[in-house]
């Protein structure tokens, strides 16, 4: 079973980083948002610095929406899911690997490039590390919740904006505590409130990692019954 699990993980990561994958376009879209915001607030660097945490988190959420749409649909339409069911591969493992590969291929590159792209929004050096911490802790929740939302529209041919509307309210707590933690540092420095908000982000991500694949596997199975 562990060998099958490793092969599935390798397959998902290979597909996620293939040339036709959309993670490159997600990075370009993320860079474009930060660049356009910096242009729109040009000449007001102090304001740009103050709103940087919110800009980063909103940009990450918008970029994630681009990559959730086809999380399961290709496997559902080409019969890959049918083969997994025939081989008795648990849908929980499949959902877990899907969500992890999404985070690894879409969110992790964004986190790595954020310090470099921070020059567009006048990001202070002292808050770069706290921002990276909040992104590392909070973005898994976005990937796992988003993939769960993608499973809800699995059998809908024209899903369009249905999935973003469904999962957007679930992203709000991540946005509040993610941007709030960085705003705390900008206003009053590194203090206990920052660590509390990071701990809450960790709890949200932990719950998402545990329960979202379970919910996704149940939803996927209902599409075959």
């Amino acid at each position: 079973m562990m060998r099958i699990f490793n092969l599935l993980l390798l397959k998902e990561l290979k597909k996620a980083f293939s040339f036709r994958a959309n993670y490159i376009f997600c990075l370009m879209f993320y860079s474009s948002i930060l660049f356009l915001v910096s242009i729109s607030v040009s000449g007001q660097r102090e304001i740009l610095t103050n709103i940087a945490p919110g800009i980063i988190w909103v940009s990450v959420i918008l970029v994630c929406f681009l990559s959730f749409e086809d999380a399961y649909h290709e496997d559902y339409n080409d019969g890959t899911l049918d083969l997994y069911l025939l081989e008795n591969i648990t849908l929980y493992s499949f959902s877990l690997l899907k969500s992890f590969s999404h985070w690894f291929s879409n969110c992790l590159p964004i986190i790595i490039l954020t310090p470099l792209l921070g020059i567009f929004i006048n990001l202070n050096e002292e808050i770069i590390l706290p921002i990276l911490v909040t992104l590392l802790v909070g973005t898994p929740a976005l990937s796992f919740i988003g993939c769960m939302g993608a499973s809800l529209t699995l059998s809908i041919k024209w899903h369009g904006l249905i999935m973003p509307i469904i999962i957007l309210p679930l992203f709000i707590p991540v946005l509040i505590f993610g941007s709030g933690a960085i705003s705390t540092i900008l206003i009053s420095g590194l203090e206990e409130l920052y660590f509390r908000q990071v701990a809450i982000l960790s709890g949200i991500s932990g719950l998402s990692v545990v329960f979202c694949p379970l919910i996704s596997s149940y939803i996927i199975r209902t599409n075959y019954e």
Side-chain angles (χ1 to χ4, degrees):
M1 181 59 69
M2 183 57 65
R3 179 176 177 273
I4 295 177
F5 187 87
N6 292 334
L7 289 174
L8 283 177
L9 177 60
L10 182 62
K11 171 184 174 295
E12 292 300 327
L13 291 178
K14 184 177 179 180
K15 183 168 67 174
F17 285 103
S18 63
F19 288 109
R20 62 191 182 89
N22 60 0
Y23 72 96
I24 297 177
F25 298 102
C26 290
L27 288 175
M28 294 174 61
F29 184 56
Y30 181 66
S31 305
S32 300
I33 294 175
L34 299 185
F35 180 69
L36 291 175
V37 169
S38 67
I39 293 177
S40 65
V41 197
S42 59
Q44 304 179 54
R45 310 302 293 180
E46 184 177 350
I47 294 177
L48 189 59
T49 300
N50 292 332
I51 64 175
I55 293 172
I56 290 175
W57 271 101
V58 169
S59 301
V60 170
I61 289 175
L62 291 176
V63 169
C64 285
F65 278 139
L66 296 177
S67 52
F68 288 140
E69 185 176 356
D70 298 322
Y72 294 108
H73 283 82
E74 182 177 350
D75 293 317
Y76 180 77
N77 292 326
D78 65 8
T80 301
L81 277 174
D82 300 80
L83 293 176
Y84 289 163
L85 290 173
L86 291 174
E87 293 294 331
N88 293 321
I89 297 175
T90 61
L91 292 177
Y92 174 81
S93 299
F94 173 70
S95 302
L96 182 66
L97 292 175
K98 268 294 184 185
S99 303
F100 174 76
S101 63
H102 176 274
W103 179 84
F104 194 81
S105 61
N106 290 277
C107 295
L108 187 59
I110 288 175
I111 296 172
I112 295 173
L113 286 180
T114 294
L116 178 62
L117 299 176
I119 60 176
F120 293 144
I121 53 176
N122 198 33
L123 202 62
N124 293 331
E125 293 181 1
E126 61 269 17
I127 67 170
I128 289 179
L129 182 58
I131 285 179
L132 294 180
V133 171
T134 58
L135 289 174
L136 280 170
V137 170
T139 49
L142 299 181
S143 293
F144 280 78
I145 293 173
C147 288
M148 180 189 68
S151 67
L152 290 170
T153 60
L154 188 61
S155 58
I156 301 177
K157 186 175 182 180
W158 304 106
H159 36 280
L161 293 175
I162 297 178
M163 191 266 294
I165 292 174
I166 292 173
I167 65 175
L168 183 58
L170 300 177
F171 283 174
I172 292 178
V174 180
L175 174 62
I176 291 174
F177 292 109
S179 60
I182 308 303
S183 298
T184 299
I185 294 180
L186 290 174
I187 296 172
S188 54
L190 197 65
E191 60 176 23
E192 185 180 356
L193 181 58
Y194 167 79
F195 294 104
R196 288 180 180 177
Q197 291 174 319
V198 170
I200 293 174
L201 275 177
S202 303
I204 295 173
S205 292
L207 291 173
S208 301
V209 170
V210 173
F211 290 106
C212 287
L214 282 173
I215 298 172
S216 297
S217 61
Y218 174 78
I219 294 171
I220 293 172
R221 188 169 294 278
T222 56
N223 285 277
Y224 288 91
E225 294 178 353

